[in-house]
Amino acid sequence: MLTDTPVRLGVQLKPQHVAYTDIRDAVLRLEEMGVDILFNWDHFFPLSGDPDGLHLESWTMLAAWAEQTERVEFGALVNCNSYRNPDLQADMARTIDHISAKGGEGRFIFGTGSGWFERDYDEYGYDFGTAGSRLNDLAGGLDRVTARWDVLNPPPTRRIPILIGGKGEQKTLRIVARHANIWHSFVGADELPHKLSVIDDWAQKEGRDTSDLIVSNELERRDQPDADALHAAGTRLFTLGFGGPDWDYDLVRSWLRWRDEKNG
Protein backbone atom coordinates (compact mmCIF):
# COMPACT_ATOMS: atom_id res chain seq x y z
CA MET A 1 0.00 0.00 0.00
CA LEU A 2 1.45 3.32 -1.11
CA THR A 3 0.93 6.02 1.54
CA ASP A 4 3.69 8.48 0.67
CA THR A 5 1.94 9.61 -2.52
CA PRO A 6 -0.03 12.89 -2.40
CA VAL A 7 -3.76 12.83 -1.85
CA ARG A 8 -5.59 13.17 -5.17
CA LEU A 9 -9.16 14.21 -5.83
CA GLY A 10 -11.20 12.54 -8.53
CA VAL A 11 -14.62 13.62 -9.77
CA GLN A 12 -16.97 11.15 -11.43
CA LEU A 13 -19.16 12.97 -13.91
CA LYS A 14 -22.36 10.94 -14.08
CA PRO A 15 -23.21 10.68 -17.80
CA GLN A 16 -26.95 10.73 -17.19
CA HIS A 17 -29.73 13.33 -17.45
CA VAL A 18 -27.45 15.89 -19.15
CA ALA A 19 -26.58 16.89 -22.68
CA TYR A 20 -23.00 16.36 -23.80
CA THR A 21 -22.46 20.12 -24.04
CA ASP A 22 -23.02 20.24 -20.26
CA ILE A 23 -20.47 17.47 -19.70
CA ARG A 24 -17.92 19.14 -21.98
CA ASP A 25 -18.24 22.40 -20.05
CA ALA A 26 -17.95 20.58 -16.71
CA VAL A 27 -14.78 18.78 -17.83
CA LEU A 28 -13.17 22.09 -18.79
CA ARG A 29 -14.15 23.79 -15.56
CA LEU A 30 -13.09 20.91 -13.29
CA GLU A 31 -9.68 20.69 -14.95
CA GLU A 32 -9.21 24.43 -14.51
CA MET A 33 -10.20 24.13 -10.84
CA GLY A 34 -7.38 21.65 -10.23
CA VAL A 35 -9.15 18.29 -9.96
CA ASP A 36 -6.63 15.46 -10.42
CA ILE A 37 -8.72 12.78 -12.16
CA LEU A 38 -12.01 12.76 -14.06
CA PHE A 39 -14.15 9.63 -14.33
CA ASN A 40 -17.39 8.65 -15.99
CA TRP A 41 -19.09 5.23 -15.76
CA ASP A 42 -19.72 2.43 -18.24
CA HIS A 43 -23.47 1.88 -18.46
CA PHE A 44 -26.12 2.33 -21.14
CA PHE A 45 -28.99 3.62 -19.01
CA PRO A 46 -29.28 5.96 -16.02
CA LEU A 47 -28.58 4.48 -12.61
CA SER A 48 -30.87 6.92 -10.79
CA GLY A 49 -33.75 9.20 -11.64
CA ASP A 50 -35.75 8.55 -14.80
CA PRO A 51 -34.57 5.08 -15.93
CA ASP A 52 -35.15 6.09 -19.56
CA GLY A 53 -33.62 9.56 -19.24
CA LEU A 54 -30.69 10.98 -21.16
CA HIS A 55 -27.58 8.81 -21.08
CA LEU A 56 -24.30 8.69 -23.03
CA GLU A 57 -21.72 5.97 -23.75
CA SER A 58 -18.45 5.80 -21.82
CA TRP A 59 -15.55 4.99 -24.15
CA THR A 60 -16.40 7.40 -26.95
CA MET A 61 -16.74 10.11 -24.31
CA LEU A 62 -13.34 9.26 -22.85
CA ALA A 63 -11.73 9.65 -26.28
CA ALA A 64 -13.22 13.15 -26.46
CA TRP A 65 -11.86 13.95 -23.00
CA ALA A 66 -8.42 12.77 -24.10
CA GLU A 67 -8.44 15.44 -26.81
CA GLN A 68 -10.13 18.15 -24.76
CA THR A 69 -8.03 18.00 -21.61
CA GLU A 70 -4.38 18.89 -21.06
CA ARG A 71 -3.46 17.83 -17.53
CA VAL A 72 -5.96 15.58 -15.73
CA GLU A 73 -5.86 11.82 -15.73
CA PHE A 74 -9.17 10.22 -16.66
CA GLY A 75 -11.00 6.95 -17.16
CA ALA A 76 -14.16 5.00 -16.35
CA LEU A 77 -15.16 4.17 -12.81
CA VAL A 78 -15.49 1.54 -14.01
CA ASN A 79 -15.47 -0.06 -17.46
CA CYS A 80 -17.53 -3.26 -17.72
CA ASN A 81 -15.40 -6.17 -18.93
CA SER A 82 -18.48 -7.96 -20.30
CA TYR A 83 -19.38 -5.40 -22.93
CA ARG A 84 -16.31 -5.58 -25.19
CA ASN A 85 -13.73 -8.12 -26.27
CA PRO A 86 -10.69 -7.76 -23.96
CA ASP A 87 -8.21 -7.38 -26.82
CA LEU A 88 -10.39 -4.63 -28.25
CA GLN A 89 -10.49 -2.95 -24.83
CA ALA A 90 -6.69 -3.02 -24.76
CA ASP A 91 -6.47 -1.43 -28.20
CA MET A 92 -9.05 1.23 -27.33
CA ALA A 93 -7.19 2.05 -24.12
CA ARG A 94 -3.86 2.28 -25.97
CA THR A 95 -5.38 4.60 -28.57
CA ILE A 96 -6.95 6.89 -25.97
CA ASP A 97 -3.62 6.87 -24.13
CA HIS A 98 -1.92 8.19 -27.27
CA ILE A 99 -4.62 10.80 -27.94
CA SER A 100 -4.11 12.17 -24.43
CA ALA A 101 -0.31 12.19 -24.51
CA LYS A 102 0.25 15.47 -26.41
CA GLY A 103 4.02 15.21 -26.44
CA GLY A 104 4.41 13.38 -23.12
CA GLU A 105 2.98 10.33 -21.42
CA GLY A 106 -0.68 9.48 -21.74
CA ARG A 107 -3.13 10.17 -18.95
CA PHE A 108 -5.64 7.33 -19.33
CA ILE A 109 -6.49 5.08 -16.37
CA PHE A 110 -7.95 1.67 -17.21
CA GLY A 111 -10.64 1.32 -14.58
CA THR A 112 -12.47 -1.98 -14.93
CA GLY A 113 -14.85 -4.36 -13.23
CA SER A 114 -16.99 -7.43 -13.82
CA GLY A 115 -20.34 -5.70 -14.33
CA TRP A 116 -23.58 -5.81 -12.37
CA PHE A 117 -26.38 -3.79 -14.02
CA GLU A 118 -28.63 -6.45 -15.50
CA ARG A 119 -30.62 -4.09 -17.72
CA ASP A 120 -27.46 -3.26 -19.68
CA TYR A 121 -26.93 -6.94 -20.39
CA ASP A 122 -30.52 -7.72 -21.28
CA GLU A 123 -31.13 -4.80 -23.63
CA TYR A 124 -27.75 -4.97 -25.38
CA GLY A 125 -27.73 -8.73 -25.77
CA TYR A 126 -24.93 -9.75 -23.39
CA ASP A 127 -25.02 -12.90 -21.30
CA PHE A 128 -25.54 -11.85 -17.67
CA GLY A 129 -24.31 -15.13 -16.23
CA THR A 130 -23.59 -15.08 -12.51
CA ALA A 131 -21.48 -12.89 -10.27
CA GLY A 132 -18.90 -15.67 -10.19
CA SER A 133 -18.81 -16.21 -13.95
CA ARG A 134 -18.46 -12.47 -14.57
CA LEU A 135 -15.53 -12.29 -12.15
CA ASN A 136 -13.90 -15.26 -13.87
CA ASP A 137 -14.32 -13.46 -17.18
CA LEU A 138 -12.74 -10.33 -15.69
CA ALA A 139 -9.70 -12.27 -14.50
CA GLY A 140 -9.20 -13.85 -17.90
CA GLY A 141 -9.97 -10.60 -19.66
CA LEU A 142 -7.29 -8.70 -17.77
CA ASP A 143 -4.71 -11.33 -18.68
CA ARG A 144 -5.61 -10.71 -22.32
CA VAL A 145 -5.60 -6.91 -21.95
CA THR A 146 -2.11 -6.81 -20.48
CA ALA A 147 -0.81 -9.35 -23.01
CA ARG A 148 -2.23 -7.28 -25.87
CA TRP A 149 -0.56 -4.12 -24.56
CA ASP A 150 2.77 -5.93 -24.87
CA VAL A 151 2.36 -6.54 -28.62
CA LEU A 152 0.52 -3.47 -29.91
CA ASN A 153 2.35 -1.23 -32.38
CA PRO A 154 2.75 1.47 -31.27
CA PRO A 155 2.66 0.37 -27.63
CA PRO A 156 1.02 2.49 -24.93
CA THR A 157 3.03 5.58 -23.99
CA ARG A 158 3.29 4.25 -20.41
CA ARG A 159 2.25 1.17 -18.49
CA ILE A 160 -1.40 2.15 -18.30
CA PRO A 161 -2.53 2.11 -14.65
CA ILE A 162 -5.21 -0.46 -13.89
CA LEU A 163 -7.94 0.44 -11.40
CA ILE A 164 -10.13 -2.38 -10.12
CA GLY A 165 -13.20 -1.83 -7.98
CA GLY A 166 -14.80 -4.16 -5.45
CA LYS A 167 -14.19 -5.89 -2.15
CA GLY A 168 -15.01 -9.59 -2.52
CA GLU A 169 -12.25 -11.55 -0.84
CA GLN A 170 -12.29 -14.81 -2.79
CA LYS A 171 -12.16 -13.48 -6.35
CA THR A 172 -12.15 -9.68 -6.64
CA LEU A 173 -9.28 -9.00 -4.26
CA ARG A 174 -7.24 -11.77 -5.86
CA ILE A 175 -7.68 -9.99 -9.21
CA VAL A 176 -6.64 -6.75 -7.48
CA ALA A 177 -3.51 -8.44 -6.14
CA ARG A 178 -2.66 -9.80 -9.58
CA HIS A 179 -3.30 -6.73 -11.73
CA ALA A 180 -4.27 -3.51 -9.97
CA ASN A 181 -2.25 -0.34 -9.50
CA ILE A 182 -5.28 1.28 -7.85
CA TRP A 183 -7.87 -0.50 -5.71
CA HIS A 184 -11.22 1.29 -5.44
CA SER A 185 -13.95 0.44 -2.95
CA PHE A 186 -16.71 1.84 -0.77
CA VAL A 187 -15.49 0.18 2.44
CA GLY A 188 -15.20 2.18 5.64
CA ALA A 189 -11.98 3.03 7.41
CA ASP A 190 -12.53 0.34 10.02
CA GLU A 191 -12.74 -2.34 7.31
CA LEU A 192 -9.72 -1.26 5.27
CA PRO A 193 -6.94 -2.95 7.31
CA HIS A 194 -8.57 -6.37 6.93
CA LYS A 195 -9.21 -5.94 3.21
CA LEU A 196 -5.62 -4.81 2.66
CA SER A 197 -4.35 -7.85 4.54
CA VAL A 198 -6.40 -10.04 2.20
CA ILE A 199 -4.84 -8.30 -0.80
CA ASP A 200 -1.39 -8.85 0.72
CA ASP A 201 -2.10 -12.55 1.21
CA TRP A 202 -3.26 -12.94 -2.40
CA ALA A 203 -0.27 -10.95 -3.64
CA GLN A 204 2.08 -13.43 -1.96
CA LYS A 205 0.30 -16.29 -3.72
CA GLU A 206 0.44 -14.40 -7.04
CA GLY A 207 4.12 -13.54 -6.57
CA ARG A 208 3.44 -9.83 -7.00
CA ASP A 209 4.63 -6.85 -4.97
CA THR A 210 1.66 -4.64 -4.09
CA SER A 211 3.56 -2.19 -1.89
CA ASP A 212 2.85 0.52 -4.48
CA LEU A 213 -0.90 -0.13 -4.59
CA ILE A 214 -2.92 3.10 -4.32
CA VAL A 215 -6.05 2.81 -2.18
CA SER A 216 -9.09 4.64 -3.55
CA ASN A 217 -12.47 5.37 -2.03
CA GLU A 218 -15.69 7.38 -2.39
CA LEU A 219 -16.64 10.81 -1.04
CA GLU A 220 -20.30 10.87 -2.05
CA ARG A 221 -22.48 10.80 1.08
CA ARG A 222 -19.37 11.17 3.27
CA ASP A 223 -18.19 14.13 5.33
CA GLN A 224 -14.70 15.31 6.17
CA PRO A 225 -14.35 13.27 9.39
CA ASP A 226 -15.10 10.16 7.30
CA ALA A 227 -12.47 11.23 4.78
CA ASP A 228 -9.97 11.94 7.57
CA ALA A 229 -10.46 8.41 8.88
CA LEU A 230 -10.04 6.90 5.40
CA HIS A 231 -6.88 8.95 4.92
CA ALA A 232 -5.48 7.75 8.24
CA ALA A 233 -6.18 4.16 7.12
CA GLY A 234 -4.15 4.67 3.93
CA THR A 235 -6.57 5.98 1.28
CA ARG A 236 -4.91 8.41 -1.12
CA LEU A 237 -7.39 8.74 -3.99
CA PHE A 238 -10.82 10.17 -3.15
CA THR A 239 -13.58 10.40 -5.74
CA LEU A 240 -16.72 12.52 -5.61
CA GLY A 241 -19.79 11.49 -7.57
CA PHE A 242 -20.99 14.58 -9.46
CA GLY A 243 -24.38 14.92 -11.10
CA GLY A 244 -25.63 17.64 -13.40
CA PRO A 245 -26.85 19.76 -14.97
CA ASP A 246 -26.86 21.78 -11.73
CA TRP A 247 -23.24 21.01 -10.89
CA ASP A 248 -22.29 21.94 -7.29
CA TYR A 249 -18.84 23.39 -7.86
CA ASP A 250 -18.70 24.76 -4.31
CA LEU A 251 -18.70 21.18 -3.04
CA VAL A 252 -15.75 20.38 -5.29
CA ARG A 253 -13.92 23.47 -4.02
CA SER A 254 -14.38 22.34 -0.42
CA TRP A 255 -12.85 18.93 -1.20
CA LEU A 256 -10.00 20.57 -3.11
CA ARG A 257 -9.22 22.64 -0.01
CA TRP A 258 -9.30 19.47 2.11
CA ARG A 259 -6.94 17.75 -0.36
CA ASP A 260 -4.52 20.66 -0.24
CA GLU A 261 -4.57 20.72 3.56
CA LYS A 262 -3.71 17.01 3.62
CA ASN A 263 -0.84 17.55 1.21
CA GLY A 264 0.30 20.56 3.25
Side-chain angles (χ1 to χ4, degrees), residues 97-120:
D97 167 73
H98 275 266
I99 294 169
S100 69
K102 302 185 179 180
E105 287 190 338
R107 295 172 285 115
F108 182 71
I109 295 172
F110 186 72
T112 194
S114 60
W116 62 273
F117 191 37
E118 191 168 2
R119 184 184 180 189
D120 285 346

Side-chain angles (χ1 to χ4, degrees), residues 24-69:
R24 182 191 296 118
D25 292 346
V27 167
L28 177 62
R29 186 164 179 180
L30 290 165
E31 183 174 45
E32 289 176 342
M33 288 173 66
V35 166
D36 298 295
I37 303 174
L38 294 173
F39 294 109
N40 62 15
W41 66 40
D42 188 19
H43 293 287
F44 305 128
F45 303 95
L47 299 185
S48 61
D50 179 0
D52 295 313
L54 297 174
H55 198 278
L56 294 161
E57 195 275 329
S58 172
W59 278 86
T60 45
M61 185 185 301
L62 293 173
W65 291 6
E67 189 62 55
Q68 176 186 353
T69 59

Side-chain angles (χ1 to χ4, degrees), residues 171-194:
K171 291 191 175 184
T172 301
L173 295 187
R174 183 167 193 171
I175 299 170
V176 169
R178 183 169 185 174
H179 288 289
N181 306 103
I182 305 168
W183 168 52
H184 182 83
S185 77
F186 299 82
V187 303
D190 57 342
E191 200 178 353
L192 273 179
H194 170 69

Side-chain angles (χ1 to χ4, degrees), residues 12-16 18 23 39-41 48 220 241-244 247:
Q12 183 187 46
L13 287 161
K14 301 176 181 181
Q16 60 180 15
V18 293
I23 293 175
F39 294 109
N40 62 15
W41 66 40
S48 61
E220 195 168 10
F242 202 49
W247 315 99

